[in-house]
Amino acid sequence: METARKTQTAAEQMTDRDLSEQIKTVTKESHVRAENTELMLSYQRGQVTLPQYKLLLCSLYEIYQALEEELDRNAEHPGVAPVYFPAELARLETIEKDLEHFYGQDWREKIVVPAATKRYAHRLRQIGKENPEFLVAHAYTRYLGDLSGGQVLGRITQKSLGLKSGEGLSFFSFPGVSSPNLFKQLYRSRMNGIELTEEERNGVLEEAVRAFELNIQVFDDLQKMLSVTQRESELQSCAAQSKLANGDPMLAKTLQIPGTMINASPLFRMVLGLFVALATVSMGIYAF
């Protein structure tokens, strides 16, 4: 209710402005918060990891599948038709290509998403059925965000992960858009031309704020998933280290280190334990 009240107040103060400008104004605070999530800060620092990127792709698949299915279903709706550009903007196939690159042909059986992603997808399907004009808020924030920052994020991802050009980076590519700036101008013009009642306009603005909030929740949940995975890996490494400290003969044989050598030197046990801990954490993280 508080979000709706703030959105309506902001809209009333700028009734003579374009819808795109109104969305920019009411989502300003949420935009800043989204940029300061741990996932986005990793991108800004140029330190995105493979587990982060793979989990992000999984969630983007669920989100864009719901968004694009609803846009397709409502393609002739007066609130959707002006901004319906599947040839230029559709992301689902590009995400599928990237997921196959990282997970293999059976990627559908391996992807995992947090609860926040499920809520986001559910919301998209809900408004697709009940308020199709609200889809423009999600399409605008997602597609134009991808066009605006996608090229930069793509380069950061490629450099951080050491990927070859185009390898696992299809999501960031828009071959149907020759000039992102010109296309964004066209998109905003089309969106601003959509005829909406005052109630519908306020609903779209409120939905734009909700779109950012849903994205923030997804980013936070993804980071929590990574943290849980890291903790589980650390517990596994502690168990392995304990076995080494007790001179476990099977583990010592696997590492081709005599058990007597392990028991003889406390310093050696400590160094070896640290090595196994680091190796185990690394394997746990990259198992996604």
Side-chain angles (χ1 to χ4, degrees):
M1 286 296 293
E2 181 65 16
T3 299
R5 185 185 64 79
K6 289 182 178 179
T7 302
Q8 184 172 358
T9 300
E12 289 172 350
Q13 294 173 349
M14 51 183 184
T15 53
D16 60 335
R17 301 177 66 181
D18 292 334
L19 179 61
S20 60
E21 289 299 314
Q22 291 181 332
I23 288 178
K24 183 177 180 180
T25 298
V26 300
T27 60
K28 184 176 181 179
E29 181 182 343
S30 298
H31 199 162
V32 173
R33 288 176 52 230
E35 290 178 341
N36 282 279
T37 58
E38 186 60 34
L39 182 61
M40 288 298 100
L41 288 175
S42 295
Y43 264 102
Q44 293 172 33
R45 292 190 294 259
Q47 298 174 346
V48 63
T49 66
L50 183 59
Q52 282 178 322
Y53 182 51
K54 289 169 68 174
L55 283 178
L56 176 61
L57 284 174
C58 291
S59 283
L60 288 176
Y61 172 75
E62 291 279 339
I63 292 166
Y64 275 104
Q65 183 181 45
L67 175 60
E68 294 181 358
E69 285 180 359
E70 293 306 317
L71 288 174
D72 290 345
R73 197 164 63 84
N74 292 282
E76 297 182 3
H77 187 280
V80 174
V83 293
Y84 182 64
F85 292 96
E88 292 83 2
L89 298 177
R91 298 290 82 203
L92 194 58
E93 289 186 8
T94 66
I95 298 171
E96 290 176 347
K97 184 177 179 181
D98 290 339
L99 287 171
E100 183 173 343
H101 170 78
F102 289 113
Y103 289 97
Q105 293 185 348
D106 58 344
W107 60 267
R108 286 183 174 83
E109 302 171 8
K110 299 177 180 178
I111 62 174
V112 58
V113 299
T117 301
K118 294 292 186 182
R119 290 195 298 270
Y120 195 166
H122 174 75
R123 177 59 183 174
L124 290 167
R125 297 192 188 284
Q126 179 184 23
I127 62 175
K129 294 180 177 66
E130 300 174 2
N131 303 95
E133 66 276 5
F134 288 4
L135 289 171
V136 68
H138 293 274
Y140 175 69
T141 55
R142 287 231 60 92
Y143 288 129
L144 265 65
D146 295 337
L147 273 175
S148 297
Q151 303 306 308
V152 174
L153 294 180
R155 287 193 292 270
I156 292 174
T157 303
Q158 181 179 354
K159 184 177 180 180
S160 297
L161 305 183
L163 300 173
K164 296 179 181 179
S165 181
E167 189 178 69
L169 300 167
S170 298
F171 171 71
F172 301 106
S173 177
F174 288 83
V177 179
S178 58
S179 172
N181 288 333
L182 290 177
F183 186 84
K184 285 187 291 185
Q185 290 177 20
L186 171 64
Y187 195 98
R188 291 190 185 99
S189 176
R190 291 282 193 90
M191 185 176 71
N192 292 335
I194 296 175
E195 294 186 6
L196 298 168
T197 65
E198 182 179 350
E199 182 180 358
E200 289 172 338
R201 179 175 289 258
N202 287 334
V204 170
L205 294 176
E206 183 179 346
E207 194 65 31
V209 175
R210 182 179 283 109
F212 272 96
E213 295 302 320
L214 288 168
N215 274 291
I216 291 170
Q217 292 170 21
V218 170
F219 292 157
D220 287 343
D221 268 17
L222 289 176
Q223 201 60 42
K224 289 176 184 176
M225 287 179 66
L226 286 167
S227 297
V228 169
T229 302
Q230 289 171 344
R231 285 197 295 270
E232 290 176 349
S233 298
E234 288 168 0
L235 289 174
Q236 292 173 3
S237 71
C238 287
Q241 188 174 0
S242 177
K243 287 183 179 180
L244 282 172
N246 293 326
D248 184 84
M250 292 299 293
L251 191 54
K253 184 177 180 181
T254 301
L255 295 174
Q256 297 182 339
I257 300 173
T260 55
M261 187 174 180
I262 295 174
N263 292 322
S265 170
L267 177 61
F268 184 82
R269 290 203 306 269
M270 180 183 72
V271 173
L272 185 59
L274 178 60
F275 170 79
V276 173
L278 292 173
T280 306
V281 170
S282 177
M283 290 174 63
I285 291 176
Y286 283 89
F288 274 101

